[in-house]
Coordinates of all heavy atoms in Angstrom, one line a residue:
M325 N -1.8 -5.8 22.0 CA -2.9 -6.4 21.3 C -2.5 -6.5 19.8 O -2.1 -5.5 19.2 CB -4.2 -5.6 21.4 CG -5.4 -6.1 20.7 SD -6.8 -5.1 21.0 CE -8.1 -6.2 20.9
E326 N -2.7 -7.6 19.2 CA -2.4 -7.8 17.8 C -3.6 -7.6 16.9 O -4.5 -8.4 16.9 CB -1.8 -9.3 17.6 CG -0.6 -9.6 18.4 CD -0.2 -11.0 18.4 OE1 -1.1 -11.9 18.0 OE2 0.9 -11.3 18.7
I327 N -3.5 -6.6 16.1 CA -4.6 -6.3 15.2 C -4.1 -6.4 13.7 O -3.2 -5.7 13.3 CB -5.2 -4.9 15.4 CG1 -5.7 -4.8 16.8 CG2 -6.2 -4.6 14.3 CD1 -6.2 -3.4 17.2
L328 N -4.6 -7.4 13.0 CA -4.2 -7.6 11.6 C -5.1 -6.8 10.7 O -6.3 -6.8 10.8 CB -4.3 -9.0 11.2 CG -3.3 -10.0 11.9 CD1 -3.7 -11.4 11.6 CD2 -1.9 -9.7 11.5
R329 N -4.5 -6.0 9.8 CA -5.3 -5.3 8.8 C -5.9 -6.2 7.8 O -5.4 -7.4 7.7 CB -4.5 -4.3 8.1 CG -4.0 -3.1 9.0 CD -3.1 -2.2 8.3 NE -3.9 -1.4 7.3 CZ -3.4 -0.6 6.5 NH1 -2.1 -0.4 6.4 NH2 -4.2 0.0 5.6
K330 N -7.0 -5.8 7.2 CA -7.6 -6.6 6.1 C -6.6 -6.8 5.0 O -5.7 -6.0 4.8 CB -8.9 -6.0 5.7 CG -9.9 -6.0 6.7 CD -11.3 -5.6 6.2 CE -12.3 -5.8 7.3 NZ -13.6 -5.8 6.9
C331 N -6.9 -7.8 4.2 CA -6.0 -8.2 3.0 C -6.0 -7.0 2.0 O -7.1 -6.5 1.7 CB -6.5 -9.4 2.4 SG -5.6 -9.9 0.9
P332 N -4.9 -6.6 1.5 CA -4.8 -5.5 0.6 C -5.4 -5.9 -0.8 O -5.8 -5.0 -1.6 CB -3.3 -5.1 0.5 CG -2.6 -6.4 0.9 CD -3.5 -7.1 1.9
C333 N -5.5 -7.2 -1.1 CA -6.0 -7.6 -2.4 C -7.5 -7.8 -2.4 O -8.2 -7.3 -3.3 CB -5.3 -8.9 -2.8 SG -3.6 -8.8 -3.0
C334 N -8.1 -8.5 -1.4 CA -9.5 -8.8 -1.4 C -10.3 -8.2 -0.3 O -11.5 -8.5 -0.2 CB -9.7 -10.3 -1.5 SG -9.2 -11.2 -0.1
Q335 N -9.6 -7.6 0.7 CA -10.2 -7.0 1.8 C -10.9 -8.0 2.8 O -11.7 -7.6 3.6 CB -11.3 -5.9 1.4 CG -10.7 -4.7 0.7 CD -9.6 -4.0 1.5 OE1 -9.8 -3.6 2.6 NE2 -8.4 -3.8 0.9
S336 N -10.4 -9.2 2.8 CA -10.9 -10.2 3.7 C -10.0 -10.2 5.0 O -9.0 -9.6 5.0 CB -10.8 -11.6 3.0 OG -11.7 -11.7 2.0
E337 N -10.5 -11.0 5.9 CA -9.8 -11.1 7.2 C -8.5 -11.9 7.0 O -8.5 -12.9 6.2 CB -10.7 -11.8 8.2 CG -11.9 -11.0 8.6 CD -11.6 -9.6 9.2 OE1 -10.7 -9.5 10.0 OE2 -12.3 -8.6 8.8
A338 N -7.5 -11.6 7.8 CA -6.3 -12.4 7.8 C -6.1 -13.1 9.2 O -6.8 -12.7 10.1 CB -5.1 -11.5 7.6
E339 N -5.2 -14.1 9.2 CA -5.0 -14.8 10.5 C -3.5 -15.2 10.6 O -2.9 -15.3 9.5 CB -5.9 -16.0 10.5 CG -5.6 -17.0 9.4 CD -6.6 -18.2 9.5 OE1 -7.4 -18.3 10.4 OE2 -6.6 -18.9 8.5
F340 N -3.1 -15.4 11.8 CA -1.8 -16.0 12.0 C -1.8 -17.5 11.8 O -2.8 -18.2 12.2 CB -1.3 -15.8 13.5 CG -0.7 -14.4 13.7 CD1 -1.5 -13.4 14.3 CD2 0.6 -14.1 13.3 CE1 -1.0 -12.2 14.5 CE2 1.1 -12.8 13.5 CZ 0.3 -11.9 14.1
V341 N -0.8 -18.0 11.1 CA -0.7 -19.5 10.9 C 0.7 -19.9 11.4 O 1.7 -19.3 11.1 CB -0.8 -19.8 9.4 CG1 -0.6 -21.3 9.2 CG2 -2.1 -19.3 8.8
D342 N 0.7 -20.9 12.3 CA 1.9 -21.4 12.8 C 2.3 -22.7 12.0 O 1.5 -23.5 11.7 CB 1.9 -21.7 14.3 CG 0.8 -22.7 14.7 OD1 -0.2 -22.8 13.9 OD2 1.0 -23.3 15.7
V343 N 3.6 -22.7 11.5 CA 4.0 -23.8 10.7 C 5.2 -24.4 11.3 O 6.3 -23.8 11.5 CB 4.4 -23.2 9.3 CG1 4.9 -24.4 8.3 CG2 3.2 -22.5 8.7
P344 N 5.1 -25.7 11.7 CA 6.3 -26.4 12.2 C 7.3 -26.8 11.1 O 6.9 -27.4 10.1 CB 5.8 -27.7 12.9 CG 4.4 -27.9 12.3 CD 3.9 -26.6 11.7
V345 N 8.5 -26.3 11.2 CA 9.6 -26.6 10.2 C 10.8 -27.0 10.9 O 11.4 -26.3 11.7 CB 9.9 -25.3 9.4 CG1 11.0 -25.6 8.4 CG2 8.6 -24.8 8.6
S346 N 11.2 -28.3 10.7 CA 12.5 -28.8 11.2 C 12.6 -28.6 12.7 O 13.6 -28.2 13.3 CB 13.7 -28.2 10.6 OG 13.7 -28.4 9.2
G347 N 11.5 -28.9 13.4 CA 11.5 -28.8 14.9 C 11.3 -27.4 15.4 O 11.2 -27.2 16.6
S348 N 11.2 -26.4 14.6 CA 11.0 -25.0 15.0 C 9.5 -24.6 14.6 O 9.0 -25.2 13.7 CB 11.9 -24.1 14.4 OG 13.3 -24.4 14.7
L349 N 9.0 -23.7 15.3 CA 7.7 -23.1 15.0 C 7.9 -21.8 14.3 O 8.4 -20.9 14.9 CB 6.9 -23.0 16.2 CG 5.4 -22.7 16.0 CD1 4.7 -23.8 15.2 CD2 4.7 -22.5 17.4
L350 N 7.4 -21.7 13.0 CA 7.5 -20.5 12.3 C 6.1 -19.9 12.1 O 5.1 -20.6 12.1 CB 8.2 -20.7 10.9 CG 9.6 -21.3 10.9 CD1 10.1 -21.5 9.5 CD2 10.5 -20.3 11.7
W351 N 6.1 -18.6 11.9 CA 4.8 -17.9 11.8 C 4.6 -17.2 10.4 O 5.6 -16.9 9.8 CB 4.7 -16.8 12.8 CG 4.7 -17.4 14.2 CD1 5.7 -17.5 15.0 CD2 3.6 -17.9 14.9 NE1 5.4 -18.0 16.2 CE2 4.0 -18.3 16.2 CE3 2.2 -18.0 14.7 CZ2 3.2 -18.8 17.2 CZ3 1.4 -18.5 15.6 CH2 1.9 -18.9 16.9
Q352 N 3.4 -17.0 10.0 CA 3.1 -16.2 8.9 C 1.7 -15.7 9.0 O 0.9 -16.3 9.7 CB 3.3 -16.9 7.5 CG 2.3 -17.8 7.1 CD 2.6 -18.5 5.7 OE1 2.2 -19.6 5.5 NE2 3.4 -17.9 4.9
V353 N 1.4 -14.6 8.4 CA 0.0 -14.1 8.3 C -0.5 -14.4 6.9 O 0.1 -14.2 5.9 CB 0.0 -12.6 8.6 CG1 -1.4 -12.0 8.4 CG2 0.5 -12.2 9.9
T354 N -1.7 -15.0 6.9 CA -2.3 -15.4 5.6 C -3.8 -14.9 5.5 O -4.5 -14.9 6.5 CB -2.3 -17.0 5.6 OG1 -1.0 -17.4 5.7 CG2 -2.9 -17.4 4.3
C355 N -4.1 -14.5 4.3 CA -5.5 -14.1 4.1 C -6.4 -15.3 4.0 O -6.0 -16.3 3.4 CB -5.6 -13.3 2.7 SG -7.3 -13.0 2.2
R356 N -7.5 -15.3 4.6 CA -8.4 -16.4 4.7 C -9.1 -16.7 3.3 O -9.5 -17.8 3.0 CB -9.5 -16.2 5.7 CG -9.0 -16.2 7.1 CD -10.1 -16.0 8.1 NE -9.5 -15.9 9.5 CZ -10.2 -15.5 10.5 NH1 -11.5 -15.1 10.4 NH2 -9.7 -15.5 11.7
R357 N -9.2 -15.7 2.4 CA -9.9 -15.9 1.2 C -8.9 -16.2 0.0 O -9.0 -17.2 -0.6 CB -10.8 -14.7 0.8 CG -11.5 -14.9 -0.5 CD -12.3 -13.7 -1.0 NE -13.4 -13.3 -0.1 CZ -13.9 -12.2 -0.1 NH1 -13.6 -11.2 -0.9 NH2 -14.9 -11.9 0.8
C358 N -8.0 -15.2 -0.2 CA -7.2 -15.3 -1.4 C -5.8 -16.0 -1.2 O -5.2 -16.4 -2.1 CB -7.0 -14.0 -2.1 SG -5.9 -12.9 -1.2
G359 N -5.4 -16.2 0.1 CA -4.2 -16.9 0.4 C -2.9 -16.0 0.4 O -1.8 -16.5 0.6
L360 N -3.1 -14.7 0.1 CA -1.9 -13.8 0.2 C -1.3 -14.0 1.6 O -2.0 -14.1 2.6 CB -2.3 -12.4 0.0 CG -1.2 -11.3 0.0 CD1 -0.3 -11.5 -1.2 CD2 -1.8 -9.9 0.1
S361 N 0.1 -14.0 1.7 CA 0.7 -14.3 3.0 C 2.0 -13.6 3.1 O 2.7 -13.2 2.1 CB 0.8 -15.7 3.3 OG 1.7 -16.3 2.3
T362 N 2.5 -13.4 4.3 CA 3.8 -12.9 4.6 C 4.8 -14.1 4.4 O 4.4 -15.3 4.3 CB 4.0 -12.3 6.0 OG1 3.7 -13.4 6.9 CG2 3.0 -11.2 6.2
E363 N 6.1 -13.8 4.5 CA 7.1 -14.9 4.5 C 7.0 -15.6 5.9 O 6.6 -15.0 6.9 CB 8.5 -14.3 4.3 CG 8.6 -13.7 2.9 CD 10.0 -13.2 2.7 OE1 10.9 -13.4 3.5 OE2 10.2 -12.4 1.7
L364 N 7.5 -16.8 6.0 CA 7.6 -17.5 7.2 C 8.7 -16.8 8.1 O 9.8 -16.4 7.6 CB 8.0 -19.0 7.0 CG 6.9 -19.8 6.5 CD1 7.5 -21.2 6.1 CD2 5.8 -20.0 7.5
D365 N 8.5 -16.7 9.4 CA 9.4 -16.1 10.3 C 9.3 -16.7 11.7 O 8.2 -17.0 12.0 CB 9.3 -14.6 10.3 CG 10.5 -13.9 10.8 OD1 10.9 -14.0 12.0 OD2 11.2 -13.2 9.9
D366 N 10.3 -16.7 12.4 CA 10.2 -17.2 13.8 C 9.8 -16.1 14.8 O 9.5 -16.4 15.9 CB 11.5 -17.8 14.3 CG 12.7 -16.8 14.2 OD1 12.5 -15.7 13.8 OD2 13.8 -17.2 14.7
D367 N 9.6 -14.9 14.3 CA 9.1 -13.8 15.1 C 7.7 -13.4 14.7 O 7.5 -12.8 13.7 CB 10.1 -12.6 14.9 CG 9.8 -11.4 15.9 OD1 8.7 -11.4 16.5 OD2 10.6 -10.5 15.9
R368 N 6.8 -13.7 15.6 CA 5.3 -13.5 15.3 C 5.1 -12.0 15.1 O 4.3 -11.6 14.3 CB 4.5 -14.0 16.5 CG 3.0 -13.9 16.3 CD 2.3 -14.5 17.4 NE 0.9 -14.2 17.4 CZ -0.1 -15.0 17.2 NH1 0.2 -16.3 17.1 NH2 -1.3 -14.6 17.2
M369 N 5.7 -11.1 16.0 CA 5.5 -9.7 15.9 C 6.0 -9.1 14.6 O 5.5 -8.2 14.0 CB 6.1 -8.9 17.1 CG 5.4 -9.2 18.3 SD 3.6 -8.8 18.2 CE 3.7 -7.0 17.9
L370 N 7.1 -9.7 14.1 CA 7.7 -9.2 12.8 C 6.7 -9.6 11.6 O 6.5 -8.7 10.7 CB 9.0 -9.9 12.5 CG 9.7 -9.5 11.2 CD1 10.0 -8.0 11.2 CD2 11.0 -10.3 11.0
C371 N 6.1 -10.7 11.7 CA 5.0 -11.0 10.7 C 3.9 -10.1 10.8 O 3.4 -9.6 9.7 CB 4.5 -12.5 11.0 SG 5.6 -13.8 10.5
L372 N 3.5 -9.7 12.0 CA 2.4 -8.7 12.1 C 2.8 -7.4 11.5 O 2.0 -6.8 10.7 CB 2.1 -8.5 13.6 CG 1.1 -7.4 14.0 CD1 -0.3 -7.8 13.7 CD2 1.3 -7.0 15.4
K373 N 4.0 -6.9 11.8 CA 4.5 -5.7 11.2 C 4.6 -5.7 9.7 O 4.3 -4.8 9.0 CB 5.9 -5.3 11.8 CG 5.8 -4.9 13.2 CD 7.1 -4.6 13.8 CE 7.0 -4.2 15.3 NZ 8.4 -4.0 15.9
Q374 N 5.1 -6.9 9.2 CA 5.2 -7.0 7.7 C 3.8 -6.9 7.1 O 3.6 -6.3 6.0 CB 5.8 -8.3 7.3 CG 7.3 -8.4 7.6 CD 7.9 -9.7 7.3 OE1 7.2 -10.7 7.3 NE2 9.2 -9.8 7.2
W375 N 2.8 -7.6 7.7 CA 1.5 -7.6 7.1 C 0.8 -6.2 7.2 O 0.2 -5.7 6.2 CB 0.6 -8.6 7.9 CG -0.8 -8.7 7.3 CD1 -1.9 -8.0 7.8 CD2 -1.2 -9.4 6.1 NE1 -3.0 -8.3 7.0 CE2 -2.6 -9.2 6.0 CE3 -0.6 -10.2 5.2 CZ2 -3.3 -9.8 5.0 CZ3 -1.3 -10.8 4.2 CH2 -2.7 -10.6 4.1
N376 N 1.0 -5.5 8.2 CA 0.4 -4.2 8.4 C 1.2 -3.0 7.9 O 0.8 -1.9 8.0 CB 0.2 -3.9 9.9 CG -0.9 -4.8 10.5 OD1 -1.8 -5.4 9.7 ND2 -1.0 -5.0 11.8
R377 N 2.4 -3.2 7.4 CA 3.3 -2.1 7.0 C 2.9 -1.3 5.9 O 3.4 -0.2 5.7 CB 4.7 -2.7 6.7 CG 4.8 -3.4 5.3 CD 6.1 -3.9 5.0 NE 5.9 -4.7 3.8 CZ 6.9 -5.1 3.1 NH1 8.1 -4.8 3.4 NH2 6.7 -5.8 2.0
R378 N 1.9 -1.7 5.1 CA 1.6 -0.9 3.9 C 0.9 0.4 4.2 O 0.7 1.2 3.3 CB 0.7 -1.7 3.0 CG -0.6 -2.1 3.6 CD -1.3 -3.1 2.7 NE -2.5 -3.6 3.4 CZ -2.6 -4.6 4.2 NH1 -1.6 -5.3 4.5 NH2 -3.8 -4.9 4.8
E379 N 0.7 0.7 5.5 CA 0.1 2.0 5.8 C 1.0 3.2 5.3 O 0.5 4.1 4.7 CB 0.0 2.1 7.4 CG -0.7 3.4 7.8 CD -0.9 3.5 9.3 OE1 -1.2 2.4 9.9 OE2 -0.7 4.5 9.9
R380 N 2.3 3.0 5.5 CA 3.2 4.1 5.0 C 3.2 4.1 3.5 O 3.3 5.1 2.9 CB 4.6 3.8 5.6 CG 4.8 4.3 7.0 CD 6.2 4.1 7.5 NE 6.1 3.3 8.7 CZ 6.9 2.3 8.9 NH1 7.9 2.0 8.1 NH2 6.8 1.6 10.0
E381 N 3.2 2.9 2.9 CA 3.2 2.8 1.5 C 1.9 3.4 0.9 O 2.0 4.1 -0.1 CB 3.3 1.3 1.1 CG 4.6 0.7 1.4 CD 4.6 -0.8 1.3 OE1 3.7 -1.4 0.8 OE2 5.7 -1.4 1.7
D382 N 0.8 3.2 1.6 CA -0.5 3.8 1.1 C -0.4 5.3 1.1 O -0.8 6.0 0.2 CB -1.7 3.4 2.0 CG -2.1 1.9 1.7 OD1 -1.6 1.4 0.7 OD2 -2.8 1.4 2.6
H383 N 0.2 5.9 2.2 CA 0.4 7.3 2.3 C 1.3 7.8 1.2 O 1.0 8.8 0.6 CB 1.0 7.7 3.7 CG 1.3 9.1 3.9 ND1 0.2 10.0 4.0 CD2 2.4 9.8 3.9 CE1 0.8 11.2 4.1 NE2 2.1 11.1 4.1
L384 N 2.4 7.1 0.9 CA 3.3 7.5 -0.1 C 2.6 7.5 -1.5 O 2.8 8.4 -2.3 CB 4.5 6.6 -0.2 CG 5.6 6.9 -1.2 CD1 6.1 8.3 -1.1 CD2 6.7 5.9 -1.1
K385 N 1.8 6.4 -1.7 CA 1.1 6.4 -3.0 C 0.1 7.6 -3.1 O 0.0 8.1 -4.2 CB 0.3 5.1 -3.1 CG 1.1 3.9 -3.3 CD 0.3 2.6 -3.4 CE 1.1 1.4 -3.5 NZ 0.3 0.2 -3.4
M386 N -0.5 8.0 -2.1 CA -1.4 9.1 -2.1 C -0.7 10.4 -2.4 O -1.1 11.2 -3.2 CB -2.2 9.2 -0.8 CG -3.3 10.2 -0.9 SD -4.4 9.7 -2.1 CE -5.9 9.7 -1.3
V387 N 0.5 10.6 -1.8 CA 1.3 11.8 -2.1 C 1.7 11.8 -3.5 O 1.6 12.8 -4.2 CB 2.5 11.8 -1.1 CG1 3.5 12.9 -1.6 CG2 2.1 12.1 0.3
L388 N 2.2 10.6 -4.1 CA 2.6 10.6 -5.5 C 1.4 10.8 -6.4 O 1.6 11.5 -7.4 CB 3.3 9.2 -5.8 CG 4.6 9.0 -5.1 CD1 5.1 7.6 -5.3 CD2 5.6 10.0 -5.6
L389 N 0.3 10.3 -6.1 CA -0.9 10.5 -6.9 C -1.3 12.0 -6.9 O -1.6 12.6 -8.0 CB -2.1 9.7 -6.4 CG -3.4 9.8 -7.2 CD1 -3.2 9.4 -8.6 CD2 -4.5 9.1 -6.5
S390 N -1.2 12.6 -5.8 CA -1.5 14.1 -5.7 C -0.5 14.9 -6.5 O -0.9 15.8 -7.2 CB -1.5 14.5 -4.2 OG -2.4 13.8 -3.5
L391 N 0.8 14.5 -6.4 CA 1.8 15.3 -7.2 C 1.5 15.1 -8.7 O 1.7 16.0 -9.5 CB 3.2 14.8 -6.8 CG 3.6 15.2 -5.5 CD1 5.0 14.6 -5.1 CD2 3.8 16.8 -5.4
T392 N 1.2 13.9 -9.1 CA 0.9 13.6 -10.5 C -0.3 14.4 -11.0 O -0.2 15.0 -12.1 CB 0.7 12.1 -10.7 OG1 1.8 11.3 -10.2 CG2 0.4 11.7 -12.2
I393 N -1.3 14.4 -10.3 CA -2.5 15.1 -10.7 C -2.2 16.6 -10.7 O -2.6 17.3 -11.6 CB -3.7 14.8 -9.7 CG1 -4.2 13.4 -10.0 CG2 -4.9 15.8 -10.0 CD1 -5.2 12.8 -9.0
G394 N -1.5 17.1 -9.7 CA -1.1 18.5 -9.6 C -0.3 18.9 -10.8 O -0.5 20.0 -11.4
S395 N 0.7 18.0 -11.2 CA 1.5 18.3 -12.4 C 0.7 18.4 -13.6 O 0.9 19.3 -14.5 CB 2.6 17.3 -12.5 OG 3.4 17.2 -11.4
A396 N -0.2 17.5 -13.8 CA -1.0 17.5 -15.0 C -1.9 18.8 -15.1 O -2.1 19.4 -16.1 CB -1.9 16.2 -15.1
F397 N -2.4 19.1 -13.9 CA -3.3 20.3 -13.8 C -2.4 21.6 -14.2 O -2.9 22.4 -15.0 CB -3.9 20.5 -12.4 CG -4.7 21.7 -12.2 CD1 -5.9 21.8 -12.8 CD2 -4.2 22.8 -11.5 CE1 -6.7 22.9 -12.6 CE2 -4.9 23.9 -11.3 CZ -6.2 24.0 -11.9
L398 N -1.2 21.7 -13.7 CA -0.4 22.8 -14.0 C 0.0 22.8 -15.5 O 0.1 23.9 -16.1 CB 0.9 22.8 -13.1 CG 0.6 23.1 -11.6 CD1 1.9 23.0 -10.8 CD2 0.1 24.5 -11.5
A399 N 0.2 21.7 -16.1 CA 0.5 21.6 -17.5 C -0.6 22.1 -18.3 O -0.4 22.9 -19.3 CB 0.9 20.2 -17.9
V400 N -1.8 21.7 -18.0 CA -3.0 22.2 -18.7 C -3.2 23.7 -18.6 O -3.4 24.4 -19.5 CB -4.3 21.5 -18.2 CG1 -5.5 22.1 -18.8 CG2 -4.2 20.0 -18.7
I401 N -3.0 24.2 -17.3 CA -3.1 25.7 -17.1 C -2.1 26.4 -17.9 O -2.3 27.4 -18.5 CB -3.0 26.0 -15.6 CG1 -4.2 25.4 -14.8 CG2 -2.9 27.5 -15.4 CD1 -5.5 25.9 -15.2
G402 N -0.8 25.9 -17.9 CA 0.2 26.5 -18.7 C -0.1 26.5 -20.2 O 0.2 27.5 -20.9
F403 N -0.6 25.4 -20.7 CA -1.0 25.4 -22.1 C -2.1 26.4 -22.4 O -2.0 27.1 -23.4 CB -1.5 23.9 -22.4 CG -2.0 23.8 -23.8 CD1 -1.1 23.7 -24.9 CD2 -3.3 23.8 -24.1 CE1 -1.5 23.6 -26.2 CE2 -3.8 23.6 -25.4 CZ -2.9 23.5 -26.5
V404 N -3.1 26.5 -21.6 CA -4.2 27.4 -21.8 C -3.7 28.9 -21.8 O -4.0 29.7 -22.7 CB -5.3 27.3 -20.8 CG1 -6.3 28.4 -20.8 CG2 -6.0 25.9 -21.0
I405 N -2.8 29.2 -20.8 CA -2.2 30.5 -20.7 C -1.4 30.8 -22.0 O -1.4 31.9 -22.6 CB -1.4 30.7 -19.4 CG1 -2.4 30.7 -18.2 CG2 -0.6 32.0 -19.5 CD1 -1.7 30.7 -16.9
G406 N -0.6 29.8 -22.4 CA 0.2 30.0 -23.6 C -0.6 30.2 -24.8 O -0.3 31.0 -25.7
M407 N -1.7 29.5 -24.9 CA -2.7 29.7 -26.1 C -3.2 31.1 -26.0 O -3.3 31.8 -27.1 CB -3.8 28.7 -26.1 CG -3.3 27.3 -26.4 SD -2.7 27.1 -28.1 CE -4.2 27.4 -29.0
L408 N -3.7 31.6 -24.9 CA -4.3 32.9 -24.7 C -3.2 34.0 -25.1 O -3.5 35.0 -25.8 CB -4.8 33.1 -23.4 CG -6.1 32.3 -23.0 CD1 -6.4 32.5 -21.6 CD2 -7.2 32.7 -23.9
L409 N -2.0 33.8 -24.6 CA -1.0 34.8 -24.9 C -0.6 34.8 -26.4 O -0.3 35.8 -27.0 CB 0.3 34.5 -24.1 CG 0.1 34.8 -22.6 CD1 1.4 34.4 -21.8 CD2 -0.2 36.3 -22.3
G410 N -0.6 33.6 -27.0 CA -0.3 33.4 -28.4 C -1.4 34.1 -29.3 O -1.1 34.7 -30.3
L411 N -2.6 34.0 -28.9 CA -3.7 34.6 -29.7 C -3.7 36.1 -29.6 O -4.1 36.8 -30.5 CB -5.1 34.0 -29.2 CG -5.4 32.6 -29.5 CD1 -6.7 32.2 -28.8 CD2 -5.5 32.3 -31.0
N412 N -3.3 36.6 -28.5 CA -3.3 38.1 -28.3 C -2.0 38.7 -28.9 O -2.0 39.9 -29.1 CB -3.3 38.4 -26.8 CG -4.7 38.1 -26.2 OD1 -5.7 38.1 -26.8 ND2 -4.7 37.8 -24.9
S413 N -1.1 37.9 -29.3 CA 0.1 38.5 -29.8 C 0.0 38.8 -31.3 O 0.9 39.5 -31.9 CB 1.4 37.6 -29.6 OG 1.2 36.4 -30.3
G414 N -1.0 38.3 -32.0 CA -1.2 38.6 -33.4 C -0.5 37.6 -34.3 O -0.6 37.7 -35.5
F415 N 0.1 36.6 -33.8 CA 0.7 35.5 -34.6 C -0.3 34.4 -34.7 O -0.5 33.6 -33.8 CB 2.0 35.0 -33.9 CG 3.1 36.1 -33.9 CD1 3.5 36.6 -32.6 CD2 3.7 36.5 -35.0 CE1 4.4 37.6 -32.6 CE2 4.7 37.5 -34.9 CZ 5.0 38.0 -33.7
S416 N -0.9 34.2 -35.8 CA -1.9 33.2 -36.0 C -1.5 32.3 -37.1 O -1.1 32.7 -38.1 CB -3.3 33.7 -36.3 OG -3.7 34.5 -35.2

């Protein structure tokens, strides 16, 4: 069963489009609203995979965002601890 994910730009439905080129039939997945599309390919399943592939990319973005937020949090905690230790040492 071919399930196309919604468009990553506008969250609209996508559809397969067949395009005849030089006597061959090529496929692409296109968003119905904004027109975002995959490249033309003679393999319909490859177009499906290209359109839906961002699942792994979304997961990677979430991991990177978590690491970024975690790093910023640790930097703030380190700064606060440094300030507290500096105040207690008598050097003002």
Side-chain angles (χ1 to χ4, degrees):
M325 181 178 208
E326 299 172 340
I327 298 175
L328 293 171
R329 293 180 66 188
K330 292 189 177 199
C331 177
C333 295
C334 69
Q335 298 301 308
S336 292
E337 298 297 320
E339 63 185 347
F340 279 102
V341 177
D342 58 336
V343 181
V345 176
S346 300
S348 297
L349 190 61
L350 300 179
W351 297 95
Q352 80 181 151
V353 177
T354 303
C355 172
R356 293 178 182 169
R357 182 186 296 162
C358 73
L360 180 71
S361 63
T362 62
E363 295 180 14
L364 288 170
D365 201 291
D366 60 354
D367 186 348
R368 183 179 169 113
M369 288 307 294
L370 181 61
C371 288
L372 174 76
K373 288 178 184 177
Q374 287 175 341
W375 182 262
N376 290 339
R377 74 180 171 165
R378 62 189 177 272
E379 181 175 324
R380 283 185 237 134
E381 294 168 5
D382 288 345
H383 178 70
L384 179 59
K385 286 179 187 176
M386 191 58 129
V387 169
L388 291 175
L389 179 63
S390 298
L391 289 173
T392 303
I393 291 171
S395 298
F397 178 74
L398 290 176
V400 169
I401 295 298
F403 176 76
V404 169
I405 290 172
M407 290 295 293
L408 291 174
L409 291 175
L411 290 176
N412 290 331
S413 67
F415 297 110
S416 300

